[in-house]
Amino acid sequence: MKYQKITIVLFFFLLALIPLLIFLLPKQEFSQEENRYLADFPELSLEAITNKSFMDEVDVYAADHFPLRTSWIGMKTHLEHLSGLKEINGIFVLKDRLIEKVDQIDSENIRKSVKEMNTFAKRFEGSTSLMLIPTAAEIYRDMLPNGAPGVVQKEQIDRIYGQTKQIATIDAYSSLMSNAQKLTFYRSDHHWTSFGAYLGYSAASKQLGYTPIPAERFNVEHASHQFRGSLYNKIIYDRIEPDSVDLYTYGNGSHVRKVDIFDGKEWTEADDIYFREYLEQKDQYSVFLGKNQPIVTIHTDAENDSKLLIFKDSYSHSLVPFLALHYSKITLVDLRYLTKSFENWIDLGDYQQVLFCYNFKDFAIDNDVQKVNIPK
């Protein structure tokens, strides 16, 4: 009876202590482990109380600032995996890698995106190409648990390619699939590796009109051996071997003269496409061109006047080191971060080629491509 009373007292003590710790302990603004900003305490207002959004936001705040939050997440993942779960928070936990589930598409969204790309291709005087990159869930499909839900990305990509009219299509699937036994995608991140990006660069060469440099002629620097990426961040599962981050260079070093970066408000300048300071941080993939920005323009020492405009997601960041060897200027536009026409800052007539380059999951769900024809 005595021990029962102690247990009850301890339970209520912890029940009272945890909320106090949540609100009294010093707060982090950014979680390095999860690579994201944590919720701020919501603003109290009559409207927020009436529509119940205040308490919803308080719940999010409390969850984000729960004491030892990441340790609890990691412990929860381990226990769930030990219990037999193979999918946790949308991530398949396999013996030697994590794979993000792709089991949904938005057919209407895809239709609208394809329509806008076709419209763009009609008004652009140069050539327009599209490369949809299958994710690891497609390339490593045979590794997934039996009966695991998932979209057959190859079929969907072929269907999308069949709807393009004046747009040349690039087959990234075949190259990635034929090298599936190699590390074409990171073990704990949703991006393709530098080698995977090299395969995409080679696949794009025929349509974009350059001769790819053989892989063995590049210098490969293993810049980090401790990369844990976006999939790790979601479930804090540390029993997967960390990834290496490889930087490819050709010849006597960088061929980049300067990099102009527009953050939506002002332009800044960098001297390289590799932002090595990120190798000392959690988000090591950002060594490729830094954080996502609305517009980035790369000027190279290529002895030609070829200029390429890329509408993209972050997969293109590790593709650019290869493409930069063949163009005097490459501009990357991330439509996710623009609310006005990109042509407010870019002269479309300055480019001979345009490439739409997206991973299949983002393209199938997001509607950012549909902003490509917003009037100036």
Side-chain angles (χ1 to χ4, degrees):
M1 190 67 176
K2 178 180 179 181
Y3 292 111
Q4 190 176 26
K5 288 182 179 179
I6 293 174
T7 301
I8 292 172
V9 170
L10 182 60
F11 172 77
F12 282 103
F13 173 75
L14 291 174
L15 202 63
L17 178 63
I18 289 175
L20 286 174
L21 292 176
I22 289 173
F23 289 97
L24 295 179
L25 286 176
K27 300 295 179 292
Q28 284 183 298
E29 292 185 3
F30 186 83
S31 170
Q32 290 289 340
E33 291 82 3
E34 298 175 81
N35 191 35
R36 69 178 182 88
Y37 286 96
L38 302 178
D40 293 325
F41 191 79
E43 184 176 342
L44 181 63
S45 69
L46 181 60
E47 181 182 0
I49 293 174
T50 303
N51 63 22
K52 300 181 180 180
S53 63
F54 177 75
M55 289 309 301
D56 290 341
E57 292 179 30
V58 168
D59 286 343
V60 173
Y61 174 85
D64 271 8
H65 297 279
F66 194 88
L68 302 175
R69 169 184 165 79
T70 54
S71 297
W72 284 109
I73 293 173
M75 185 185 301
K76 176 176 177 290
T77 295
H78 284 300
L79 290 173
E80 289 179 340
H81 189 53
L82 286 172
S83 73
L85 282 180
K86 300 296 184 183
E87 180 200 330
I88 301 171
N89 196 21
I91 308 297
F92 292 112
V93 181
L94 307 182
K95 181 179 179 181
D96 63 348
R97 68 167 49 248
L98 305 175
I99 294 181
E100 185 175 29
K101 180 173 69 174
V102 181
D103 66 342
Q104 295 181 6
I105 64 170
D106 186 333
S107 298
E108 180 62 14
N109 180 71
I110 290 173
R111 186 192 67 78
K112 290 179 180 179
S113 295
V114 171
K115 179 183 177 182
E116 291 298 333
M117 288 191 300
N118 283 328
T119 299
F120 175 87
K122 289 179 182 178
R123 71 184 181 90
F124 178 55
E125 294 182 359
S127 64
T128 304
S129 302
L130 168 65
M131 180 161 66
L132 293 179
I133 304 157
T135 71
E138 179 73 0
I139 302 304
Y140 302 131
R141 172 178 291 276
D142 60 348
M143 295 183 183
L144 300 180
N146 290 333
V151 174
V152 181
Q153 297 180 36
K154 175 64 164 60
E155 293 179 1
Q156 294 295 329
I157 290 172
D158 288 346
R159 187 173 290 115
I160 293 167
Y161 281 4
Q163 297 170 17
T164 58
K165 298 174 182 178
Q166 295 177 309
I167 301 175
T169 57
I170 296 169
D171 176 18
Y173 172 87
S174 294
S175 296
L176 290 168
M177 197 65 195
S178 63
N179 287 274
Q181 75 281 8
K182 302 177 183 178
L183 276 176
T184 52
F185 288 85
Y186 292 110
R187 297 182 185 92
S188 65
D189 189 80
H190 69 287
H191 293 102
W192 54 6
T193 62
S194 293
F195 177 67
Y198 173 82
L199 296 175
Y201 151 79
S202 297
S205 62
K206 183 177 179 180
Q207 292 298 342
L208 295 182
Y210 57 79
T211 301
I213 297 168
E216 60 271 15
R217 294 180 61 184
F218 285 91
N219 302 310
V220 182
E221 175 191 353
H222 305 299
S224 172
H225 296 284
Q226 296 298 321
F227 174 43
R228 296 189 186 275
S230 60
L231 306 183
Y232 166 83
N233 295 336
K234 287 184 178 181
I235 60 175
I236 315 297
Y237 186 74
D238 58 7
R239 299 195 179 183
I240 300 296
E241 182 182 349
D243 286 298
S244 294
V245 176
D246 294 339
L247 307 184
Y248 281 55
T249 55
Y250 177 70
N252 296 320
S254 177
H255 296 269
V256 173
R257 292 193 292 109
K258 68 169 182 172
V259 180
D260 294 322
I261 302 167
F262 180 62
D263 65 2
K265 295 181 180 179
E266 61 182 4
W267 290 88
T268 56
E269 186 176 311
D271 58 5
D272 198 2
I273 52 177
Y274 290 137
F275 287 56
R276 292 177 177 272
E277 62 270 23
Y278 285 101
L279 294 171
E280 306 301 321
Q281 301 179 28
K282 185 71 178 64
D283 182 19
Q284 293 185 9
Y285 185 78
S286 288
V287 69
F288 303 105
L289 285 182
K291 295 288 187 181
N292 288 316
Q293 301 288 0
I295 302 173
V296 176
T297 294
I298 300 153
H299 304 268
T300 79
D301 62 5
E303 296 180 354
N304 60 48
D305 195 39
S306 297
K307 297 172 185 175
L308 173 66
L309 175 61
I310 304 177
F311 295 105
K312 59 84 185 181
D313 58 25
S314 54
Y315 272 55
S316 292
H317 293 199
S318 51
L319 180 66
V320 160
F322 304 107
L323 294 176
L325 299 169
H326 304 278
Y327 293 91
S328 61
K329 183 167 80 170
I330 298 176
T331 294
L332 300 98
V333 176
D334 198 327
L335 294 168
R336 291 175 294 182
Y337 303 102
L338 290 176
T339 56
K340 298 179 181 179
S341 171
F342 71 91
E343 293 182 77
N344 283 290
W345 301 278
I346 293 172
D347 181 3
L348 190 56
D350 196 29
Y351 300 85
Q352 299 90 19
Q353 294 178 313
V354 164
L355 171 64
F356 287 89
C357 183
Y358 291 89
N359 78 79
F360 172 79
K361 181 177 184 290
D362 284 354
F363 183 86
I365 296 175
D366 297 339
N367 62 4
D368 304 293
V369 175
Q370 296 164 32
K371 295 190 286 186
V372 72
N373 294 307
I374 293 176
K376 184 176 178 181

